């Protein structure tokens, strides 16, 4: 696989026991507590418990597909893509859960929930305080559910580092609710730390949002090195669904050249159509909704609908 420039593979985040993967088993699921009421003051979300959702007639053994959106380079529209794809899948009749795995809580805020008012979040689920994923789920107006985040998640990496099997914590936390959803989208932080490793270990699919600029290539190459480690040591089921070009400006020769080059350079699919650059994306979080609600007929909204439709066979 050709990559631009020398890239260093960093295995430092994988614990020593993973050098002997055949001896490693995922830990038991995070202990479940009695039902806890998720309290927020947001008008755009309401408390709910995932097990109260009315089940459809699909086989009981079917569980939702977990898809991580990751790129350690910031400003590539990861959060926008998670919210927009979530809304697009919901429009297609899918049961959708979004997971905000970033301490900046941008996904939580962009969906109309004030992180400062969230009492229970993904942080409490991961650090083992007797809180289950079902206890923290809220329902958003765009037709999907959300596990919110808060700034307290910034301390989770330090708490997880000495923990045996730390890369499996998110997988264990989401396992009890996978049967309630068709797709679970994880918004990763812009880093390759323990939380991102958790997302990659828990997921069946990976989407890499990438701005169509030459400097973005370096971030993709480093992420793919980490993905290769995860596939060989932690999660052989992980599949890269493709690169999602974002902030695309078709008027720029440079942007078009990068888009034409990226698929061949990394030997993987490029999801289509590219997501256009538009101010409509910046306007949506101001009202706590996705662009599929605030600008339904915009090119950006339609692009995410088309990408979601192309991904349906993988779910």
């Amino acid at each position: 696989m050709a990559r631009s420039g020398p890239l260093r593979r960093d295995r430092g985040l994988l614990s020593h026991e993973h050098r002997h993967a055949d001896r490693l088993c995922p830990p038991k699921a995070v202990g479940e507590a009695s039902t806890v009421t998720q309290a927020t003051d947001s008008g755009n979300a309401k408390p709910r418990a995932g097990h109260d959702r009315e089940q459809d007639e699909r086989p009981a053994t079917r569980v939702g597909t977990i898809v991580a959106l990751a790129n350690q380079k910031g400003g590539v529209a990861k959060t926008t893509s998670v919210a927009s794809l979530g809304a697009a899948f919901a429009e297609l009749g899918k049961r959708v859960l979004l997971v905000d795995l970033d301490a900046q809580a941008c996904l939580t805020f962009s969906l109309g929930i004030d992180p400062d008012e969230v009492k229970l979040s993904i942080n409490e689920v991961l650090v083992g305080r007797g809180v289950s994923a079902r206890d923290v789920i809220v329902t958003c107006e765009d037709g999907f559910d959300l596990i919110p985040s808060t700034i307290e998640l910034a301390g989770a990496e330090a708490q997880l580092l000495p923990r045996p099997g730390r890369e499996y914590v998110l997988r264990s936390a989401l396992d009890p609710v996978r049967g309630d959803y068709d797709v679970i989208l994880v918004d990763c932080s812009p880093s390759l730390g323990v939380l991102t490793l958790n997302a990659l270990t828990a997921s069946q699919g990976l989407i890499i949002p990438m701005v169509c600029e030459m400097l973005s290539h370096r971030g993709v190459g480093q992420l793919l090195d980490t993905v290769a480690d995860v596939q060989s040591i932690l999660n052989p089921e992980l599949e890269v669904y493709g690169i999602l070009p974002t902030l695309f400006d078709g008027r720029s020769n440079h942007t078009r050249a990068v888009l034409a080059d990226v698929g061949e350079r990394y030997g993987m699919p490029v999801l289509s159509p590219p997501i256009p650059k538009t101010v409509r994306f910046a306007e949506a979080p101001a009202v706590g909704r996705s662009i599929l609600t605030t600008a339904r007929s915009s090119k950006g909204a339609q692009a995410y609908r088309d990408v979601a439709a192309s991904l349906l066979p993988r779910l």
Side-chain angles (χ1 to χ4, degrees):
M1 182 180 299
R3 299 206 175 106
S4 58
L7 296 174
R8 178 177 61 85
R9 175 167 294 190
D10 184 359
R11 299 175 182 265
L13 287 170
L14 299 181
S15 54
H16 174 74
E17 59 266 30
H18 293 148
R19 307 305 176 205
H20 307 281
D22 57 326
R23 299 170 56 188
L24 181 64
C25 296
K28 294 181 180 179
V30 176
E32 295 205 5
S34 58
T35 301
V36 179
T37 300
Q38 166 67 308
T40 77
D41 291 338
S42 168
N44 288 346
K46 56 186 178 182
R48 69 175 303 279
H51 62 284
D52 291 333
R53 176 184 289 275
E54 181 178 352
Q55 300 295 312
D56 62 17
E57 296 180 356
R58 70 178 184 173
T61 56
R62 176 77 179 273
V63 292
T65 301
I66 303 176
V67 181
L69 278 80
N71 189 332
Q72 76 273 23
K73 188 178 186 303
V76 298
K78 285 191 303 294
T79 297
T80 296
S81 296
V82 170
S84 301
L85 286 174
F89 283 128
E91 283 188 355
L92 292 169
K94 298 301 179 182
R95 301 174 300 171
V96 182
L97 174 65
L98 309 185
V99 180
D100 192 347
L101 203 62
D102 187 352
Q104 298 177 77
C106 291
L107 179 63
T108 300
F109 183 83
S110 70
L111 295 175
I113 302 172
D114 185 351
D116 293 335
E117 301 297 331
V118 173
K119 306 304 180 185
L120 294 174
S121 70
I122 187 64
N123 178 66
E124 285 70 34
V125 175
L126 296 180
V127 299
R129 295 179 181 172
V131 178
S132 73
R134 282 198 176 98
D135 295 331
V136 305
I137 292 174
V138 295
T139 296
C140 300
E141 290 188 4
D142 280 60
F144 47 70
D145 289 349
L146 170 71
I147 294 181
S149 180
T150 64
I151 189 61
E152 282 75 19
L153 187 63
E157 296 225 3
Q159 295 182 62
L160 291 175
L161 274 174
R163 188 167 170 176
R166 57 183 174 264
E167 294 87 359
Y168 293 97
V169 174
L170 181 63
R171 175 193 286 186
S172 298
L174 292 179
D175 273 348
V177 300
R178 282 185 66 189
D180 297 342
Y181 300 97
D182 299 299
V183 59
I184 299 174
L185 301 177
V186 183
D187 184 19
C188 297
S189 62
S191 72
L192 292 178
V194 173
L195 292 179
T196 298
L197 282 177
N198 263 265
L200 297 177
T201 302
S203 298
Q204 289 74 57
L206 169 66
I207 296 173
I208 306 174
M210 191 198 84
V211 178
C212 294
E213 297 175 354
M214 191 57 65
L215 288 178
S216 294
H217 279 316
R218 178 174 174 80
V220 172
Q222 292 170 335
L223 175 59
L224 291 177
D225 281 343
T226 299
V227 168
D229 285 344
V230 170
Q231 289 171 324
S232 64
I233 300 173
L234 299 171
N235 180 15
E237 295 182 355
L238 179 63
E239 179 183 356
V240 181
Y241 287 172
I243 293 173
L244 177 61
T246 61
L247 302 178
F248 179 75
D249 183 356
R251 301 168 298 177
S252 166
N253 291 334
H254 174 71
T255 298
R256 293 197 303 271
V258 170
L259 179 61
D261 172 72
V262 66
E264 181 178 354
R265 180 181 295 264
Y266 296 109
M268 66 178 56
V270 176
L271 301 179
S272 182
I275 308 302
K277 185 176 184 178
T278 170
V279 70
R280 298 297 185 186
F281 288 119
E283 295 171 349
V287 294
R289 305 295 293 273
S290 75
I291 191 175
L292 275 73
T293 297
T294 60
R296 293 187 56 84
S297 60
S298 66
K299 292 182 179 179
Q302 189 56 48
Y304 276 114
R305 290 189 182 99
D306 293 342
V307 171
S310 72
L311 292 170
L312 281 180
R314 297 178 178 270
L315 303 183

